[in-house]
Each structure stands twice: as C-alpha cells, then as structure tokens.
Amino acid sequence: MKRLFVIILVVTNSFILLSQNPVNSMLPVEVKKAYQNGTRTLSGVPGPNYWQNHARYQINVELKVEEDLLIGEEKVTYFNNSPDTLKRLVIRLYPNIYKKGNPRQWPIGDGINDGMVINSLSINGDSIDWNNREAVYLFSTNLSVFLPEPLAPGDSLEMEAGWQFEVSDRTIRMGKYGSNAYFIAYWYPQIAVYDDIDGWDEIEYLGAVEFYNDFNDYDVHISTPPGYVVWATGELVNERDMFSDYVLKNLMTARVSSKITRIFSVEDFKKTRKIIRHDGINAFHTNTWYFTAVHVPDFTFAVRRDVNWDGSSLVVDETTQRRVFVDAVYADSARTYQNAARWARASVEYMSFELPGVPFPYEHMTTVSNDRMGGGMESPMMANNGDPKDSTDAALTIFHEISHTYFPFFMGTNERKYAWMDEGWAAFLPMGFGEKYFPEYPYRKRFVERFEGTNGTEREATLITLSYNLGDYDSYRVHAYVRSALAYYFLRNALGDSVFKVALHTYMKRWYGKHPIPYDFFNSFNEATGMELSWFFKPWFFERAYADLGIKKVTNNNIIVVQNYGGLPLPVVVFCEFTDGTSEIISRRTSVWSAGEQAVALQVDKDKMIKKVVLGSELIPDIDETNNILEIGNN
Ligand SMILES: [Zn+2]
C-alpha cells in the first residue's frame, strides 16, 4: 500500500512538474486535448493512444509531351486508424493553384490553365455526382467528398479517380523546365492528413506553404514517349526491361562503387537504342516505368532526355553495411552540376555519420538539375534543384535539399503549420558541412546578417506563430529558415555537441515515421537532457526576444558586466585590451543565461588597467552594436 502511494506520488509529482514547465503552461487547447486523449504525452513520448492514418496508392499516369498533359488513373485504399467516424474525405488537388480564378500567393503570368480536371471519381465503386452539392464541395485546392457510407474507426475504403492536368512552364515546385525537361511533384489527387490535433488538414495550397503528408505506399506506372528516361521516388521494378545492357552495366558499377560513374551522357542519347532497351520498336511505342515505394510521405518523378547521369554509392550504416545509391542528372549546359554527384555523396555521408548522425533512411537519393539559376525543392529520394553559378552555393543547396530527408520526411512534421521544424533544420545542418568543406564560405555569417535585418522589428513573428498565418514572404523566410536555424545552432552551443546530439537522437527515435508537433520537440529535449530548457525555448520560440547584448559597466576591480537587453540567450564573447598592450578574450556559452540572468559579470586580470572592451563577433547576432564598445582610457 505504501509502495503504491509512493508510485502515485512520483507519477503525480512528475505530471505536475511537467505541466508547470513554462513551455507546457502555454498550451493551445487542441494540444491539451491530445494529452488528455493520450495521443501525446507531456514528456514528449508519443502517447499510448497515438494513431495516424495511412493510404496505398496505385497510379497509372501518362505524360503526353506534345500537349504537356499528364493523364492519370488512381486507386487509393485509405485506412482510418483514428478513433473517429469519418463522414467526408478531404482530397488535395494541387494543380488547381494554376486554375483560372483561384487564389495564389505567387504570380504565374500566362501560366493559368484549367487546373486539375477530374474525369471520374468513385468511392467503394459508387460514382460521385459532381453536380450534387451534398456529395462534393470544391474550394480552391481542397475537394471535400461527403462519403455515401461513413468510414468507421479501423475500417478502410477505396477511392478511384481519373484525372488530367496541363503541366505548366510557370513552375511552382514542379512543372516544365524547358523542352524535354519535366519534374512532376504536387500532382496526383492526394488524401489530406487527418490527425489528432486538427482533424482534416484543410490549409489551402497557395504557394508559400509546402508539405504535410501521411506515410503511404506507392505503386506507380509512368508512361512516356520513346527517348525519355524517368527517375522517381522508390525502386524501378522493371529496370532490366527498361535500360539497355550498356546502362545496366554502368548502373551496377555505380551501385557498388565509391567512385563517381558516368551511367550515360548526353552523347549517348544520339545513338539509337543505347539507353532505353525497347526504343525504336515502332512509331507508336511508349515506355512504361514501374516504381514502388513503401512508407514514404510522397512520390515524385523527373522525365528527361539529353542529359547526363552520374552515380555513386556509399555505406551509410557500419553495422548492416547498407549502401545507398546517390546520383545526379543534368544537362550539358550545367554550370556546376558536373560535381553534383560528388557533393550529394558527401552530403549523405555527413548526414549519416556526423549530423544528425542517423543512417540515411532511403535506398537512393537523386538530385536533378532543372537548369534554373538557384533554389531547390525536396521530395522523398528526389531533389529538383537549380544550378547556381557558384559551386559552393550549389553544394550547399544540394546538401540542404537532401537534408529534408530527415525533416520533414523521416520525421513527418507539418511544414504548413511549423515550417521551422523542417526548414530550420535544413538551414542549420549545412553550417557544420560548410565549415568542413568550405571554411572560407560565410554561410553562417549570412544567416546572422539576415537575422539582424528583421529581428526585433514588427515584421518578425514568434516561431510558435503558425507558418500559414504569415502573409509576408520575408517574414515567412526569416521565421522558417533564419531565426529557427540560429535557434538550433545556439541550442547546440548551450548544450554542448554531445548532449545536443543525444537529445536530437531521442527526439528523432521517438517520432520518426510519425507527426511530431513543437511541444514533442521541446519536451523530448527537456527529458533527454534532464534539464528544463524553457529559459532557452521561451525567448527563442515563444517570445519576441531580440539579439542585443551590451556592456553595462566595468567596475574598478575589473569586472565587466554584460547586460542582455534583448532577452535572447546568446553566447558572450568579450575582447579586453589592457593599457600595457596585452589583451584577454573571455567567452561564455549560451547556457550562461540558463538561470534567467539579465546580466553576467566577467572578471578579467585584476592587476592590469583596462583600456578598451569590445563585445560580440560577426557570428553572433546583435541588432544594436552601439553598446558593444567601451573605451576606458578616454574617461
Ligand atoms: Zn528547404
């Protein structure tokens, strides 16, 4: 009895302690409800009642290059693992971003078209009447289909759809990138996420918001005219039937070799039957490429001809000796992509062994150059990247897009609400990679400068503000990429590299293949470090704290007092020059503010006379540098 009492006391106490933690005391109501329902817990572990829904997609799609038309048929089996009876399905029709009259955040000029045209739609064999407002409701990119029979918990349904849309050359994350160059993403009618926080995700796809998907299985047949090669998420099942012996031989070499192998070149396309096995059989022949992928949050593909294909591979897991195939596709006109496979390989290696230090989870990683001057777009196992003039820019973009494999693909975070939970990591992770391979390149300095331009102004939103609520694109960028990347950087600085890594691994292990929200991240880090990190999380993620440290005073006995005027926890670096010509540098990690201090006192050599004190560095943001220098000799 006594023992039971003690256990109850411990459990109750830890619950009280966890809910008293300042981050958990500011919970939104739907998050509180998730704790009450046991789908999530205050310690950051998925709850005993955690669930997520799942679908199997079978898609047959044909790309008609003369008309730039994509025509598809799909059969989707959707499993309701939630405890709720679903009366409707929400289906995303992304191509409607191009539809005449629909809202969008980005201009598309003359790229307006009919959007997604649905030719047929049925649920469990019953066709859906498009003219009946009680059966369907279409608003912009979201289609609600009211189910003839509600879908009970634990049950599944089958949806079949026939559809088509025009692939625009006014590209938004996908489209036609010049003649013979297509990257197809945000494309098929896709069942939206239904989760324990919001129910159906009905955030419109208007341009800025990106990614939030369930983990699904895909079985996709892609038909193309002769001469075109297809790269896609997953495994090319009929590879031996598609490629010539010449290509297969090079491919096999690349899959076991650490060197970069040229699998085929632009030159090879000019030779009949050198690349695709059945090309040239007859004039009406089309090739059908068959891919499968299991437990991935999306499926995308590239269709190209007259390109080079380089490949290599590496072991990503010393225990299992599992190899990952890493490859790059680019035109002869490429500016820097001749080295893309090399940088993609170095990226996968860094991510597997250094940071995050988790073996690369997919069987391949294909980086395709779309020949634009910059930018990039991630999808599972595929990246659709620009090809900047500067080769370091190119390498860091390749790294960035590949690092999305972990966030938001391995960890199924909701980029529509919390873009900083993936873009922040994908902006932070290249900092270490850049320091390793391009020590001269000012990657982190640029983030600091960008932050200083917006930090503390009205335009800056707190990180906990939902991403889709940010209308101004500059505010969105700083929120998703800049403040968040620096927050992760200074969190690591506060914890030290090894503790940070243990906490990151705890968070990743708990939530991979699931849908973590910000509180799962905060609480996992609290628990893994055994520390209460609200002193860091509150000002960086919940408040408008800004970067401004200043020298408050220097005492007669040589104590330098540094005041945190902006309230943002940052490292302290002070350069102190003495009258005898010598100097001293004093540094403190970000954790110097962990007890909620507003000022820190730094003792320098008492036996010398201070001449000048300079606070800060170009790698630590500070929006007001006027209080960073104190010259004593002049007093
Ligand atoms: Zn990104």
Side-chain angles (χ1 to χ4, degrees):
M1 199 57 198
K2 194 180 168 193
R3 206 183 202 168
L4 186 67
F5 177 73
V6 171
I7 291 169
I8 289 171
L9 199 71
V10 169
V11 171
T12 317
N13 270 349
S14 72
F15 183 81
I16 291 168
L17 277 177
L18 286 167
S19 48
Q20 278 171 349
N21 147 352
V23 164
N24 286 337
S25 66
M26 298 182 274
L27 293 176
V29 288
E30 58 272 61
V31 176
K32 264 187 203 158
K33 222 171 96 190
Y35 293 134
Q36 282 158 10
N37 292 340
T39 55
R40 290 162 203 266
T41 65
L42 282 166
S43 61
V45 186
N49 299 330
Y50 180 80
W51 54 268
Q52 62 198 21
N53 288 352
H54 166 74
R56 268 188 221 138
Y57 286 84
Q58 288 167 276
I59 307 176
N60 293 335
V61 64
E62 181 173 5
L63 177 66
K64 297 222 178 252
V65 295
E66 313 79 42
E67 302 135 276
D68 295 327
L69 205 60
L70 204 63
I71 306 175
E73 277 180 355
E74 70 188 49
K75 185 163 139 183
V76 189
T77 313
Y78 182 67
F79 299 87
N80 179 17
N81 300 323
S82 84
D84 308 327
T85 297
L86 304 181
K87 294 189 176 131
R88 63 176 177 136
L89 285 186
V90 176
I91 299 164
R92 294 181 188 144
L93 305 179
Y94 293 111
N96 277 354
I97 195 170
Y98 291 98
K99 191 175 173 179
K100 189 179 176 188
N102 274 5
R104 64 189 70 82
Q105 285 161 307
W106 294 341
I108 53 168
D110 60 1
I112 288 171
N113 59 34
D114 295 335
M116 176 67 93
V117 177
I118 300 285
N119 298 320
S120 63
L121 182 67
S122 70
I123 304 283
N124 289 332
D126 291 336
S127 77
I128 301 294
D129 178 3
W130 275 83
N131 298 315
N132 180 358
R133 268 304 179 96
E134 291 183 359
V136 289
Y137 178 69
L138 175 64
F139 187 82
S140 190
T141 59
N142 284 331
L143 174 71
S144 278
V145 177
F146 298 92
L147 296 172
E149 292 283 331
L151 181 61
D155 208 351
S156 66
L157 61 72
E158 248 170 37
M159 177 183 93
E160 283 183 79
W163 47 267
Q164 64 187 65
F165 68 89
E166 191 188 321
V167 180
S168 178
D169 58 3
R170 297 294 183 137
T171 58
I172 300 179
R173 301 200 169 87
M174 57 84 68
K176 185 181 182 185
Y177 295 82
S179 60
N180 307 325
Y182 300 86
F183 196 99
I184 307 298
Y186 291 77
W187 57 293
Y188 56 96
Q190 183 188 64
I191 299 180
V193 177
Y194 184 86
D195 71 18
D196 64 319
I197 303 292
D198 295 312
W200 286 111
D201 164 32
E202 295 187 84
I203 299 163
E204 287 292 335
Y205 179 64
L206 301 176
V209 299
E210 293 182 44
F211 195 90
Y212 184 40
N213 288 351
D214 276 321
F215 293 84
N216 301 319
D217 301 336
Y218 291 86
D219 201 290
V220 184
H221 289 83
I222 303 162
S223 296
T224 57
Y228 286 86
V229 176
V230 179
W231 291 264
T233 303
E235 185 195 346
L236 177 56
V237 180
N238 61 345
E239 171 180 286
R240 303 201 71 80
D241 205 34
M242 299 313 294
F243 288 124
S244 67
D245 290 341
Y246 162 77
V247 173
L248 287 172
K249 188 173 143 276
N250 293 339
L251 199 48
M252 296 311 146
T253 305
R255 284 198 183 128
V256 294
S257 170
S258 303
K259 296 197 182 104
I260 309 291
T261 301
R262 172 64 59 89
I263 301 163
F264 57 65
S265 67
V266 171
E267 199 53 37
D268 293 327
F269 277 84
K270 293 170 188 156
K271 299 171 193 163
T272 319
R273 299 189 63 171
K274 189 75 186 280
I275 292 176
I276 300 168
R277 186 169 289 275
H278 298 296
D279 273 3
I281 287 181
N282 65 53
F284 307 104
H285 176 75
T286 57
N287 290 309
T288 300
W289 308 73
Y290 173 33
F291 291 89
T292 59
V294 176
H295 198 66
V296 288
D298 205 359
F299 183 98
T300 68
F301 62 99
V303 181
R304 298 289 292 263
R305 60 179 300 164
D306 304 326
V307 285
N308 301 295
W309 187 17
D310 295 345
S312 180
S313 63
L314 71 155
V315 171
V316 295
D317 187 336
E318 293 293 3
T319 322
T320 61
Q321 289 293 302
R322 183 168 62 83
R323 281 190 98 84
V324 169
F325 176 62
V326 184
D327 56 321
V329 177
Y330 57 96
D332 265 350
S333 54
R335 289 166 284 275
T336 50
Y337 261 62
Q338 291 78 4
N339 285 320
R342 197 174 126 232
W343 289 121
R345 190 182 185 285
S347 300
V348 170
E349 187 172 41
Y350 181 91
M351 291 166 210
S352 298
F353 295 104
E354 294 187 52
L355 211 62
V358 172
F360 193 79
Y362 295 140
E363 63 260 41
H364 78 84
M365 184 65 231
T366 303
T367 294
V368 181
S369 163
N370 58 34
D371 242 1
R372 295 281 161 84
M373 292 303 283
M377 190 47 57
E378 71 279 10
S379 54
M381 302 180 221
M382 299 288 291
N384 172 21
N385 290 2
D387 178 16
K389 270 192 296 204
D390 183 288
S391 61
T392 307
D393 255 357
L396 290 169
T397 303
I398 288 169
F399 182 100
H400 174 102
E401 303 308 342
I402 296 177
S403 74
H404 277 302
T405 299
Y406 296 92
F407 312 93
F409 303 144
F410 182 75
M411 312 281 285
T413 52
N414 185 346
E415 188 168 4
R416 299 164 149 227
K417 289 171 75 177
Y418 326 111
W420 55 269
M421 290 184 83
D422 73 287
E423 294 298 356
W425 288 107
F428 158 73
L429 290 169
M431 290 177 182
F433 181 76
E435 278 157 22
K436 180 172 179 172
Y437 289 102
F438 315 103
E440 304 297 312
Y441 192 83
Y443 180 84
R444 182 148 64 92
K445 188 166 164 246
R446 285 187 186 173
F447 272 77
V448 168
E449 287 167 358
R450 182 77 202 272
F451 186 51
E452 286 171 341
T454 303
N455 182 219
T457 67
E458 277 187 307
R459 297 198 304 286
E460 193 188 22
T462 57
L463 284 178
I464 206 69
T465 305
L466 299 181
S467 306
Y468 69 83
N469 279 336
L470 300 175
D472 168 50
Y473 198 56
D474 180 64
S475 302
Y476 175 84
R477 300 282 303 182
V478 171
H479 183 262
Y481 295 81
V482 182
R483 185 174 179 118
S484 46
L486 292 174
Y488 296 135
Y489 183 85
F490 292 119
L491 179 59
R492 185 175 65 164
N493 175 272
L495 298 176
D497 292 359
S498 59
V499 173
F500 175 80
K501 209 163 163 179
V502 167
L504 178 58
H505 286 183
T506 303
Y507 165 57
M508 291 179 76
K509 211 168 170 183
R510 287 173 170 187
W511 287 96
Y512 83 90
K514 297 189 171 72
H515 296 312
I517 61 171
Y519 302 91
D520 301 319
F521 160 69
F522 301 135
N523 288 319
S524 289
F525 263 66
N526 279 338
E527 199 178 76
T529 57
M531 293 178 225
E532 214 281 88
L533 299 169
S534 300
W535 65 270
F536 186 91
F537 292 140
K538 256 186 91 176
W540 271 101
F541 292 85
F542 289 83
E543 294 172 347
R544 298 176 64 93
Y546 56 90
D548 182 21
L549 304 184
I551 300 162
K552 193 176 184 195
K553 62 179 176 187
V554 176
T555 66
N556 291 337
N557 50 351
N558 282 6
I559 292 173
I560 301 166
V561 179
V562 174
Q563 181 84 17
N564 195 334
Y565 294 106
L568 201 61
L570 290 161
V572 178
V573 179
V574 170
F575 173 80
C576 180
E577 194 183 327
F578 299 103
T579 49
D580 65 1
T582 60
S583 62
E584 192 178 332
I585 292 175
I586 304 184
S587 322
R588 293 285 182 273
R589 293 214 317 236
T590 306
S591 48
V592 73
W593 310 103
S594 65
E597 295 87 342
Q598 284 166 10
V600 292
L602 308 168
Q603 176 77 63
V604 292
D605 197 333
K606 282 184 203 163
D607 302 328
K608 294 182 179 177
M609 288 267 289
I610 297 177
K611 186 181 168 204
K612 187 180 174 188
V613 180
V614 182
L615 169 71
S617 109
E618 60 177 22
L619 293 175
I620 301 170
D622 197 321
I623 62 167
D624 179 8
E625 291 180 0
T626 58
N627 53 21
N628 287 15
I629 297 184
L630 198 71
E631 300 210 42
I632 293 168
N634 296 341
N635 290 348

